[in-house]
Amino acid sequence: MARIALITGGTRGIGAAIARSLKASGCNAAAVYHGNAEKAEAFRRETGIPVFQWDVADFAACAAGLKSAEQYLGGPVEILVNNAGITRDALLHKMTPQQWSEVIATDLTSCFNMCRLSIGAMRERGFGRIINIASINGQKGQFGQTNYSAAKAGVLGFTKALALESAAKGITVNAVAPGYVATDMVAAVPREALARIEAQIPVGRLGQAGEIARLVQFLAADESGFITGATFSINGGQYMI
Ligand code: NDP
């Protein structure tokens, strides 16, 4: 039977590449988006991957959305990729409480929401794969991103704690920390700032979404059951720990 996979933020950028790649590996995959229905519909038409709209920052919306997605997919989610994320950059001395809260809610609390709602069924079945998309900036910090760096560093701690709680139940929980990848999120970075970032990447270029997806597909496989609680850096050599 095809494994059921759900990818949040799976209609654009890195998430879309992950959804395509999990489908190509034989999964019954679905993608969640938030506001960009036009992009989501185009993605659905092109790939045949069903899309669902809800806000991953909202627990009640996640509960209702997950219920309808699982009904459509024909069973509980076995592979959960917490990929949805946003940035609201500002220096801390200018950051608004709203910029702080939106990023913490969308990038970190979303992992709680989605895992809390999916893990019961995974524990009952004795199988699960959870992959949380963190960031290089949660590992090293980034100017103008106290909110984002805090959220993504939080994802790393969350991943390890949940991995410990879940290991005996056949559920692996890992984090993938990408460096700079050519997506809409990075297109929002001013040109000069992006040139400075590119100059710091030893590989000499931005990453491609498909390169992140390849790693996620590996971690999602049944055969990857001995890998848990790990953080995988995939950043072109920009930050080595
Ligand atoms: P994009 O901005 O290209 O796409 C974001 C996706 O997340 C969209 O599908 C969007 O839906 C969805 N989304 C955003 N907010 C919500 C929400 N509240 N509820 C549900 N879905 C939501 O992002 P990227 O592909 O660039 O990034 C994906 C992940 O990778 C993020 O977690 C990001 O932090 C992380 N990352 C990205 C890096 C990069 O260089 N691009 C580097 C390191 C980490 P919609 O289309 O409806 O808005």
Side-chain angles (χ1 to χ4, degrees):
M1 271 287 273
R3 294 282 188 202
I4 295 179
L6 187 73
I7 303 94
T8 69
T11 56
R12 285 198 284 129
I14 294 171
I18 294 170
R20 284 173 196 269
S21 148
L22 289 177
K23 184 182 182 199
S25 71
C27 292
N28 183 7
V32 181
Y33 70 100
H34 188 206
N36 199 331
E38 207 176 304
K39 274 261 169 84
E41 181 52 24
F43 173 81
R44 188 196 62 77
R45 271 201 311 272
E46 191 196 327
T47 62
I49 295 171
V51 298
F52 296 87
Q53 188 273 324
W54 74 77
D55 181 0
V56 292
D58 177 339
F59 187 80
C62 289
L66 189 63
K67 197 169 165 197
S68 54
E70 288 183 335
Q71 261 163 15
Y72 181 91
L73 293 165
V77 169
E78 299 169 288
I79 299 167
L80 172 64
V81 184
N82 287 309
N83 164 81
I86 56 167
T87 51
R88 298 284 183 268
D89 294 357
L91 300 181
L92 185 78
H93 63 273
K94 294 182 181 165
M95 188 176 286
T96 63
Q98 190 180 352
Q99 286 173 316
W100 172 265
S101 311
E102 280 179 11
V103 170
I104 299 296
T106 306
D107 295 21
L108 177 59
T109 306
S110 59
C111 292
F112 165 78
N113 292 342
M114 292 303 300
C115 290
R116 176 67 184 83
L117 291 161
S118 317
I119 201 123
M122 291 182 187
R123 289 173 69 90
E124 271 169 32
R125 297 177 142 220
F127 178 86
R129 295 280 179 268
I130 296 173
I131 297 135
N132 298 319
I133 306 301
S135 167
I136 186 174
N137 292 344
Q139 297 173 296
K140 70 169 189 55
Q142 176 63 8
F143 192 90
Q145 289 196 327
T146 50
N147 49 3
Y148 186 78
S149 297
K152 294 299 191 178
V155 168
L156 302 183
F158 175 86
T159 297
K160 292 175 195 175
L162 187 59
L164 282 174
E165 292 182 10
S166 311
K169 296 286 184 188
I171 304 164
T172 66
V173 190
N174 291 292
V176 170
Y180 286 82
V181 178
T183 68
D184 295 345
M185 183 182 273
V186 163
V189 176
R191 188 179 288 245
E192 311 82 65
L194 198 55
R196 280 198 300 276
I197 289 166
E198 274 176 324
Q200 291 163 15
I201 304 174
V203 164
R205 61 171 176 86
L206 297 177
Q208 296 298 319
E211 293 174 305
I212 311 300
R214 186 170 146 76
L215 176 57
V216 172
Q217 183 185 329
F218 179 83
L219 294 171
D222 282 23
E223 295 79 5
S224 295
F226 203 56
I227 307 171
T228 197
T231 299
F232 291 85
S233 299
I234 175 163
N235 59 34
Q238 190 183 350
Y239 187 64
M240 302 184 189
I241 47 168

